[in-house]
Amino acid sequence: MSKKLFIKTYGCQMNVYDSERMTDVLAPIGYGVTEDPDDADLVILNTCHIREKAAEKVYSELGRIRPLKEQKQSNGGRMLVAVAGCVAQAEGAEIMRRAPVVDMVFGPQTYHRLPELVARAVRDGGGVLDTDFPVEDKFDHLPEPTSQTGVTAFLTIQEGCDKFCSFCVVPYTRGAEFSRDVASIEKEARALVAAGVREITLLGQNVNAYRGQGPGDSSWSLAQLLTHLAKIDGLDRLRYTTSHPRDMTDELIAVHRDVPQVMPYLHLPVQSGSDRILDAMNRGHSADEYRRLVDKIRMARPDIALSSDFIVGFPGETDRDFEETLRLIRDVTYSQAFSFKYSERPGTPGTALPQQIEEHVKAERLTELQKLLNEQQIAFNQACVGAKLPVLFEGKGRKPGQSIGRSPYLQPVHVAAKNDLFGEIRDTQVVAALSNSLSGTLCTSEVTS
Ligand code: 5AD
Ligand code: SF4
């Protein structure tokens, strides 16, 4: 590799996946990854638009990169600077106008064209903008993963979203729903397993709405896809994220009962427990419908760990609405969850709503909500003490002689181990619970060969 590539990744797991694919696409034209932006030939910021002030953060990062680029130039070298991801898609040419340091702006659907975009940027001295939506082409043209080194991997099977929740930018930045065909997903999964991966998390903004072309002209659901992938030898664990309650079919729920490779963990965002707010959010279901769905899922897989996203302070949210959210959390009980203060996203319907909530009210509600979620997380972890759980070991812990892995419920588990357990699934006796992790001891004595 003669040229150095620095990628900074923001936001969700899909961006992590995308950054790996960009690395794979650039390798054949001589780019190798560096951890250090100082001397990079190509800097890519793979951005996320979901959090507040996302664009501002990108501009301040670009401000830090500018002197590095100038330094390199004054040494007779050249650094290309690219903004990719959802901020690039949303802001487009505006980025180049505001930050002349940027040579290339491209959205999430054009990564397969990167070599061509880089060549153009080199030839024309920057000014490359590509925010088209040829999502079908992308997956046909991306190479098979080669940058994989771990035992767990992400695999994007679906992109975009047709749900249009009134607070969310995803339908605008990632576009309409698109599902990859079964054959290309299977090929990628097999390549990952051949490279040592034992657990794959299938990714999609709305993953359980997956409808991909199967053999012949058939159209497969996520349930069919999971059942099929579970047959791959050596693929021991499957997960998928993120799911919408409305697409949680009986067929998919049954997979949690019938397919042992599908882990007992489900991220099923509900956002709010108030019907009024759910309606204003355009979520398309009530709080009780969500409760009944959870009951059905727990009937199929009683030990399943549930996770969710919550937004507090959506426009018009009263104390009563917020109480309803707390009540829903108490009814469902989560093993972990993510929670956010509502913040306006330009171009989404939420920004036009009256009754925006004051910042201090949002902050108070978030504190109270997180306290409850935290208690539930600790209780969930505590309940695992004494249990024997199969742990997939991923690497070394922070302390010497420590290995770290994940339980089926996605909790990090650390054990003291003489041998390197990387890539092994070992029964582990849980001896203690911390708020975010478990500690345990291996059930069988270690093999010393
Ligand atoms: N404000 C606050 N949180 C948001 N999310 C998405 N858009 C917004 C917004 N405008 C949260 C939702 C979503 C998660 C990925 O981010 O909870 O599920
Ligand atoms: Fe955004 Fe998810 Fe709603 Fe789609 S379903 S609009 S990705 S929050």
Side-chain angles (χ1 to χ4, degrees), residues 50 160-171 177 205-206 242-244 269 271 281-283 309:
I50 215 129
C161 181
D162 296 341
K163 292 283 192 293
F164 290 93
C165 299
S166 59
F167 51 82
C168 184
V169 286
V170 166
E177 280 177 14
Q205 264 92 27
N206 210 348
T242 292
S243 297
H244 193 290
Q271 314 293 357
M281 288 175 164
N282 193 30
R283 293 289 293 177
D309 294 336

Side-chain angles (χ1 to χ4, degrees), residues 50-51 167-168 269 271 309-311 340-345:
I50 215 129
R51 294 279 85 80
F167 51 82
C168 184
Q271 314 293 357
D309 294 336
F310 294 94
I311 295 178
F340 314 97
K341 289 187 277 190
Y342 171 74
S343 71
E344 292 185 23
R345 292 291 174 280

